[in-house]
Amino acid sequence: DVQLLESGGALVQPGGSLRLSCAASGFTFDTTAMSWVRQAPGKGLEWVSTISGNGVNTHSIDSVKGRFTISRDNFKNTLYLQMNSLRADDTALYYCAKVYLVGTIPPKGYFDSWGQGTLVTVSS
Amino acid sequence: DIVMTQSPDSLAVSLGERATINCKSSQSVLYSSNNKNYLAWYQQKPGQPPKLLIYWASTRESGVPDRFTGSGSGTDFTLTISSLQAEDVAVYYCQHYYSNFPLTFGGGTKVEIK
């Protein structure tokens, strides 16, 4: 069975940094594109970032470009999201999601497995 | 960017009755070369992560009950729950995966029991 376990969420002050992790198991991680999707409290889903299986191609929503970096360690089967210059509107539950790839350039598709999420709260 | 608009925002349906959720995309998500609609539906129950229900607009994910049906093409899509069960209380989202980023979701439709 696919398992995705996020960690690293915390309360952080505006302007601060955080690194989220997602430990994956139950599938061939290094050939699978992965994404981060967030959900602000009481709000809908927002795609944040996607990375290809080999880590070469990454894409992010405009509002996090230059602040967030998605990466992966295929030896550790772990996905990361480095979050810098955090703002109040980054407050959300961050989900790690496995991408069922329908296109490789860019790596896109739908999300066939999701983790339970890790909560990031940006507040002074 | 492709904007996904869902309607209604919420609906209350009696047990055993039909629930219909609409999703409209600001541009077509039908890829002419393979005649596939790049549209997925998710169910999110309270306190849980989203769960994939439907992909390619009408293909049910393994294990999803057949009371869930996706239909539509181009820019207009529908998720139908043919006979609402108590366990179907959730928020439902559509999402496109057509063309380039960003991937976008509809705003969600909350389904409740009347």
Side-chain angles (χ1 to χ4, degrees), chain B residues 11-21 43 67-68 80-90 92 111-114:
Chain B
L11 74 161
V13 177
S14 301
L15 288 172
E17 295 301 305
R18 178 185 302 257
T20 302
I21 300 167
Q43 175 193 62
R67 63 180 179 272
F68 292 92
T80 302
I81 310 172
S82 60
S83 175
L84 191 74
Q85 304 300 302
E87 61 264 32
D88 301 334
V89 168
Y92 294 84
V111 175
E112 300 173 305
I113 304 295
K114 184 188 291 184

Side-chain angles (χ1 to χ4, degrees), chain B:
Chain B
D1 298 359
I2 298 177
V3 177
M4 308 300 291
T5 303
Q6 286 184 234
S7 63
D9 292 337
S10 65
L11 74 161
V13 177
S14 301
L15 288 172
E17 295 301 305
R18 178 185 302 257
T20 302
I21 300 167
N22 301 301
C23 173
K24 188 174 184 68
S25 57
S26 61
Q27 65 184 74
S28 177
V29 298
L30 173 63
Y31 197 39
S32 56
S33 66
N34 59 11
N35 201 38
K36 287 187 171 184
N37 289 284
Y38 285 51
L39 190 284
W41 288 96
Y42 302 88
Q43 175 193 62
Q44 186 177 32
K45 296 182 179 180
Q48 295 186 20
K51 172 191 169 185
L52 176 67
L53 289 179
I54 303 276
Y55 53 94
W56 299 127
S58 61
T59 302
R60 233 175 269 117
E61 173 73 330
S62 176
V64 173
D66 61 6
R67 63 180 179 272
F68 292 92
T69 301
S71 61
S73 184
T75 62
D76 293 281
F77 301 91
T78 300
L79 175 68
T80 302
I81 310 172
S82 60
S83 175
L84 191 74
Q85 304 300 302
E87 61 264 32
D88 301 334
V89 168
V91 179
Y92 294 84
Y93 295 93
C94 60
Q95 175 232 334
H96 89 82
Y97 46 99
Y98 180 85
S99 189
N100 292 321
F101 292 101
L103 304 175
T104 51
F105 293 87
T109 296
K110 186 175 184 179
V111 175
E112 300 173 305
I113 304 295
K114 184 188 291 184

